Amino acid sequence: MKPNSIVSFFLLIALLSLPLAAGAKELAKDNYKTYCIQCHGLQGTGMGLNIRDMSVQPRDHTDVKAMGTRNDAELFKVIKEGGFAISKSVLMPPWGDILTDDEINDLVIYLRDLCKCKYGG
Amino acid sequence: MNYRIFYIALCTFAIGCASLSAHAVAGDGVGILSERCASCHDMKGPAPTTLAALWQRKGPDLFYAGNKYRQAWVEAWLQNPKRIRPAGMFYISHIKPGEKRDMVDASTLSEHMKLNAADAKAVADALAEMKENSALLKAEKHDPSMAPGPLGEMMFDKFFGCMACHQIEPGFGGLSGPEVYTAGARLKPEFMLSYIRNPQAWDPKTWMPNKHVPDVSIQKMVNYMIELSKEDWDEAE
């Protein structure tokens, strides 16, 4: 085997093992199920398990009007950095230590699918 | 004939001994953990790194139990177990849509087994030896002098929003996380400091977010939980 072939071989092995080392990307629906439903509810309507004593109720993700007032960058920011980052409730926590940027982008797309809306209506 | 009877008795005794050695005997904490607990609790680690694995978890991981729990609490709790997580280990498996909000589906929850005093002590002793993640604990120093005062509850409710998922008294707070009003009696202070500081260091896929709480506030919150746990919640309930 030539030196170049050996280098290529080890590079390939390293590339193949990268996703495992970094943690495989999860599907948006699975991340939503694990992290969002506890407050935003099984139907995504903001009627989650935890809401009874909350001073601010979670966003209804099926609310076309409300979801239409947020652009994708704001949705990304609030998921990653929490409600406080966009002057909203601290009850919405930051998920940036668990979700990758790629997974958060997928969640934004998932939210647009839930509300069947886009920014501005 | 006598030899035949002696031979049968010897065989019976040998089979009995083999059977005994294959099952945990009273007071054998490691054996009890292996035989009766391992089907729901992970004794070896590491913690789940995928959601699929996370969803399969039936009870708290125990491979760092010696760094997490107060031993006396474990011994007492095993003799009189009470639910700590109102919606079970993974809430999504135990909820259903309700009229005003999603509700816990109690029919899906099961009771934790109860041990006698000798077995509870043996298991508590064995769990105390299970100390993965010790480096995380050693990085913490609990300061009991940092009294939370009236800010304790404010921090939980308003500043950091912990009550969204945790109950700070029976019947008040969220249900997807474990109750915190007993946490101070249940958990070692250094574990609470470390877990609040970085939940993912202990459990990479947990649905408890890292809220980047400043150290001073973490110390005060831990002391607040220790104070909370001194109330007689059994009486209150």
Side-chain angles (χ1 to χ4, degrees), chain B residues 74-109:
Chain B
V74 173
E75 187 178 337
W77 189 85
L78 287 171
Q79 295 173 69
N80 186 23
K82 294 185 71 178
R83 184 168 302 289
I84 295 162
R85 299 162 189 270
M89 189 60 216
F90 180 41
Y91 71 93
I92 203 85
S93 306
H94 304 288
I95 59 173
K96 58 185 178 183
E99 199 175 313
K100 294 180 179 172
R101 60 185 176 277
D102 296 340
M103 306 293 287
V104 175
D105 182 356
S107 70
T108 65
L109 298 170

Side-chain angles (χ1 to χ4, degrees), chain B residues 44-60:
Chain B
K44 293 178 181 169
T49 54
T50 65
L51 293 181
L54 181 84
W55 299 344
Q56 295 301 315
R57 190 161 57 187
K58 295 177 187 167

Side-chain angles (χ1 to χ4, degrees), chain B residues 115-164:
Chain B
L115 299 183
N116 63 40
D119 285 352
K121 181 177 185 325
V123 169
D125 288 347
L127 288 174
E129 298 299 316
M130 297 166 74
K131 290 192 169 181
E132 285 292 312
N133 297 346
S134 289
L136 291 172
L137 225 61
K138 281 178 186 160
E140 300 292 344
K141 184 164 171 43
H142 176 223
D143 183 353
S145 71
M146 297 186 81
L151 282 179
E153 188 169 338
M154 290 281 282
M155 282 194 286
F156 252 84
D157 285 6
K158 307 288 183 193
F159 301 164
F160 301 110
C162 314
M163 59 73 65

Side-chain angles (χ1 to χ4, degrees), chain B residues 42-43 47 57 60-69 127 130-133 191 195 202-203:
Chain B
D42 185 354
M43 307 288 175
R57 190 161 57 187
D61 291 341
L62 293 181
F63 55 91
Y64 52 82
N67 281 335
K68 176 179 179 181
Y69 298 111
L127 288 174
M130 297 166 74
K131 290 192 169 181
E132 285 292 312
N133 297 346
F191 174 80
Y195 202 91
W202 292 86
D203 193 2

